[in-house]
Amino acid sequence: MLESYVTPILMSYVNRYIKNLKPSDLQLSLWGGDVVLSKLELKLDVLEQELKLPFTFLSGHIHELRIHVPWTKLGSEPVVITINTMECILKLKDGIQDDHESCGSNSTNRSTTENTKSSVKPRRIQQAAPTDPDLPPGYVQSLIRRVVNNVNIVINNLILKYVEDDIVLSVNITSAECYTVGELWDRAFMDISATDLVLRKVINFSDCTVCLDKRNASGKIEFYQDPLLYKCSFRTRLHFTYDNLNSKMPSVIKIHTLVESLKLSITDQQLPMFIRIMQLGIALYYGEIGNFKDGETEESACHNKDMLGNITGAEGETRVDMQYPGQYKGQELYSQQEDEQPQGWVSWAWSFVPAIVSYDDGEEEYLGNDPTSTTHQQKAQTLKDPIVSIGFYCTKATVTFKLTEMQAESSYYSPQKVKSKEVLCWEQEGTTVEALMMGEPFFDCQIGFVGCRAMCLKGIMGVKDFEESMNRSETEACFFICGENLNMKGLTYLTNSLFDYRSPENNGTRAEFILDAANHKETYTEIAGMQRFGAFYMDYLYTMENTSGKGDELDIVNAKKTKAFLKKPIGSANQQDFSSGKSEDLGTLQEKSTKSLVIGPLDFRLDSSAVHRILKMIVCALEHEYEPYSRLKPDIKGESETMLNPEEVASLEEYIPTRHTSITLLKCTFTIFMAEFNLLDHLLPVIMGEKNSSNFMNTTNFQSLRPLPSIQILVDKINLEHSVPMYAEHLVHVVSSLTQPSDNLLHYCYAHCYLKIFGFQAGLTSLDCRGSYCIPVPIIPSFSTALYGKLLKLSTCWTKRSQIAITEGIFELPNLTVQATRAQTLLLQAIYQSWSHIGNVSSSAVNEALMNEVFQTIDSPLK
């Protein structure tokens, strides 16, 4: 009977993650075709062990779980798993940088026995059941694969909460559904075949709401902020390509998400919490938190299961004896377990990728395992890292910044209410975020968008500069424009995505990927990035390449050796660090990190309204008392300096990994207007840390000045390049301990910065009542300049070497001309004083006669 094959698989999934189930009742319900389970508690320790997250689950439960199995049409209709109301609460693990809690469990209601069993011997799975000679193993295996590949998962009302300090981040998704689709991405019952080794799935998310609130010391939220994101719907396409029918996991994985409209709202109280969440993500990415202590051995670390073959359940879990075909009776199957030492969140994320797409090795355990079969032979082979492409695409995104104020209620017992007012809006079109990875040696992330603009909304700090009664145009409200219009540019931001009808996957061909640094640099140039996007393009590339050509495995081994040496605790290095492997092997490894950012033609208008809104956002962002996730370690001196012999120094000198950043701005226009109002004395001291922020309200009426004089700056190109050693702290301690370090080693102990400016020119112009500019009057003709500087890293380590320069700079300026008449000088002085003197600017500050004298004769306008 098919039930004897399918039922154990379904029961293993349910039993692995849910507490206190009665196997007999569950099995009988499954054989009836429908299962309904209510008020279920999740096994939090199992989730933590398998996900390997740097978070701990405080709670997790499911209100109702339904499983529908169409036994009579199992080969043509999907199994449907429906979860009604699932809620999980997480927090960052305590002492994550100080002890071994990063791989343990801090959740409530756990037993020490379960945690202990999870890191010991492999568990034996017993099998005993009569055989069914009418069902050949090949047919059963094919059927099981079809069933698993077409499982439909529906989650109604998914609630996730994250708590940290006074932060409460909650995500509520009304409905999420995952199902299998065909070539045209329509719902279908599909399976991989010898002619089409592809599996496609779609996940639809409906009404996603994200809230970010602040709780008090007792853990309660006194008043709720506006949602960050309210009822946003998006869809995700998953495309899996297999090498053959017996592949345990795909060789190419694409997971792409498209959002048509994304509307974010951030209040002044939410901004510090939002930045805190972003800093958490950065800290996790770079492994500053969530990794093991330096020097910790695999044996002392917690033993986490390998996600590549992790289907048979948690090791400490009491397994239910299932019914299996008798022809496999007596066989003993083991779920394999490997010791791992995670190196941060990235390693965790990578290890989790295969698990979300593969049906498990455990499925074969229910089918039996013939040692002579092709499947068994493949299982013994080393799995190759798949190519993973993850993409996020947004047609139009809007971010609105709001200022809040408490609104008093008429009744004393009425709860406080928060009233918010929109003051700033950022609109963005054609956004793309793509990540491509293949194991640890290759990671690339590209971000870009087609166009964007920033606008002032309503009033700020009591100044009613953009209230509805002012009747100011949208052109005046817009102070930043970059890139192109999406309607004119087209759908280039979707190029080669699963939502692009021209992509290889949507035309029946296999996609090709560039997975080496040299070809990547030639293909993804600044010009190519601007042609695809137009406003902004960023390419972050990290590679580990073995120049000796000895293979990928040696490449990874060498990477770990080099990292282990450079990241070792100061003073603990010795000859064994290098003697454990050949020095020439260490020298052939090249670890690179490059970031390239290109910003297209932009127009930035700095008037009073824009400046005060930007500074107000900065002030709000600084209003917090959060401790940084990572602090610089104190310098360790004297007792145990790192000493290297000449061979080790030569190996180190062959290649030192660096982080290189390049920022390029093209065709920039900056316009600095005379200040129409100036309240900077209430903002700048807070930013400089001289005083705390206070609720200031200005009572002076705003009056628009026209014509409004301004300084206009045009720049053809600005390029900034910055490089720093990848493991600066440890490299400096090694090099500073040498008697006579070479110039090459000293070069890498500095942070280098090179700034180049081309075609810089400035002039005077004015804005009239119709919103148009007069022809600019040139003050500084076009010129170019360059500046180079370097700064010694960890200067305290070089106190014994006074001859080594801490800083060095070179400034190049071939020519510079400044030309201005007396009237133009007076106008420049008036613009400066409008920003340096506090208060409202009177219309008499710049009289009509002065304006006429400045702009009456224009011989050579700015180009």
Side-chain angles (χ1 to χ4, degrees), residues 111-376:
S111 65
T112 306
T113 304
E114 289 179 336
N115 289 333
T116 304
K117 289 182 180 179
S118 64
S119 59
V120 292
K121 299 178 181 180
R123 174 177 41 79
R124 181 177 301 177
I125 301 175
Q126 302 292 342
Q127 304 180 16
T131 182
D132 190 345
D134 297 332
L135 296 177
Y139 168 77
V140 174
Q141 183 175 355
S142 175
L143 179 62
I144 294 298
R145 186 180 64 237
R146 288 175 60 85
V147 171
V148 173
N149 287 342
N150 288 275
V151 171
N152 283 13
I153 301 177
V154 181
I155 301 178
N156 297 315
N157 194 22
L158 172 63
I159 303 172
L160 301 175
K161 292 183 179 180
Y162 170 75
V163 293
E164 177 192 349
D165 295 330
D166 61 349
I167 299 174
V168 179
L169 175 67
S170 60
V171 179
N172 191 329
I173 300 176
T174 302
S175 176
E177 182 179 9
C178 176
Y179 54 88
T180 305
V181 295
E183 295 182 0
L184 300 179
W185 300 99
D186 296 325
R187 191 188 297 264
F189 194 91
M190 303 294 294
D191 192 17
I192 60 174
S193 62
T195 57
D196 187 17
L197 298 170
V198 170
L199 184 65
R200 301 173 181 87
K201 287 182 177 290
V202 165
I203 306 177
N204 290 328
F205 298 89
S206 300
D207 294 344
C208 176
T209 299
V210 180
C211 297
L212 186 59
D213 298 294
K214 180 178 291 188
R215 60 178 182 172
N216 56 24
S218 62
K220 296 182 179 180
I221 300 175
E222 296 180 353
F223 52 85
Y224 290 91
Q225 303 283 334
D226 294 342
L228 282 179
L229 182 66
Y230 184 67
K231 290 189 176 181
C232 176
S233 298
F234 50 95
R235 62 185 186 274
T236 299
R237 291 180 175 179
L238 300 91
H239 188 281
F240 310 125
T241 303
Y242 296 83
D243 288 334
N244 53 67
L245 290 176
N246 296 318
S247 297
K248 294 307 301 174
M249 65 178 180
S251 58
V252 180
I253 304 169
K254 271 195 171 185
I255 305 174
H256 292 175
T257 300
L258 175 63
V259 182
E260 296 291 345
S261 178
L262 187 68
K263 296 181 180 180
L264 295 175
S265 170
I266 302 179
T267 66
D268 51 354
Q269 297 186 32
Q270 290 174 329
L271 185 59
M273 297 186 288
F274 182 77
I275 295 175
R276 178 70 170 177
I277 297 298
M278 295 181 63
Q279 291 174 344
L280 173 62
I282 295 173
L284 290 174
Y285 174 79
Y286 284 106
E288 296 174 352
I289 60 176
N291 58 335
F292 292 105
K293 297 185 295 184
D294 294 330
E296 181 177 351
T297 60
E298 292 183 0
E299 288 75 18
S300 63
C302 293
H303 297 266
N304 296 315
K305 287 198 64 177
D306 183 9
M307 297 304 293
L308 299 180
N310 187 10
I311 213 62
T312 55
E315 295 296 333
E317 177 182 342
T318 303
R319 185 56 179 262
V320 181
D321 289 337
M322 305 299 180
Q323 301 297 320
Y324 302 96
Q327 64 193 64
Y328 308 114
K329 183 177 180 179
Q331 294 183 5
E332 296 180 346
L333 304 176
Y334 295 88
S335 59
Q336 301 298 322
Q337 174 180 323
E338 297 180 5
D339 294 339
E340 294 181 357
Q341 186 177 358
Q343 300 180 4
W345 178 81
V346 174
S347 298
W348 162 81
W350 175 251
S351 68
F352 183 63
V353 166
I356 63 177
V357 298
S358 62
Y359 61 92
D360 293 271
D361 294 341
E363 290 162 14
E364 283 190 13
E365 295 174 354
Y366 300 117
L367 301 176
N369 221 341
D370 183 3
T372 62
S373 66
T374 306
T375 304
H376 181 80

Side-chain angles (χ1 to χ4, degrees), residues 394-396 426-432 447-453 481-495 529-537 598-601:
C394 180
T395 304
K396 185 174 182 178
W426 174 277
E427 295 181 352
Q428 191 169 296
E429 292 184 317
T431 304
T432 295
I447 301 175
F449 49 85
V450 173
C452 65
R453 66 174 185 169
I481 301 176
C482 183
E484 307 175 36
N485 186 282
L486 185 61
N487 295 330
M488 301 294 294
K489 187 72 172 179
L491 301 179
T492 55
Y493 72 101
L494 294 176
T495 300
M530 284 293 99
Q531 288 178 347
R532 181 181 178 186
F533 298 106
F536 175 82
Y537 171 68
V598 187
I599 302 175

Side-chain angles (χ1 to χ4, degrees), residues 58-94:
L58 297 179
S59 66
H61 63 268
I62 295 175
H63 177 70
E64 183 182 71
L65 172 64
R66 292 177 174 269
I67 303 176
H68 172 70
V69 183
W71 293 114
T72 59
K73 299 180 180 179
L74 201 56
S76 59
E77 291 186 6
V79 174
V80 180
I81 301 175
T82 304
I83 299 175
N84 294 320
T85 306
M86 177 178 177
E87 181 175 3
C88 294
I89 301 178
L90 303 90
K91 77 178 187 70
L92 197 64
K93 289 188 176 180
D94 298 328

Side-chain angles (χ1 to χ4, degrees), residues 15 53 78 105 108 119 138 186 270 301 339 348 400 424 492 495 561 638 641 675 708 761 798 805 823 843 847:
N15 186 66
L53 285 166
S105 175
T108 57
S119 59
D186 296 325
Q270 290 174 329
D339 294 339
W348 162 81
T400 304
L424 190 63
T492 55
T495 300
K561 288 181 181 178
E641 292 185 346
L708 184 62
Q761 53 185 319
W798 305 88
S843 59
N847 55 49

Side-chain angles (χ1 to χ4, degrees), residues 400-413:
T400 304
F401 177 65
K402 301 177 180 179
L403 294 179
T404 59
E405 59 182 11
M406 301 304 298
Q407 189 174 19
E409 292 295 320
S410 57
S411 173
Y412 175 80
Y413 298 100

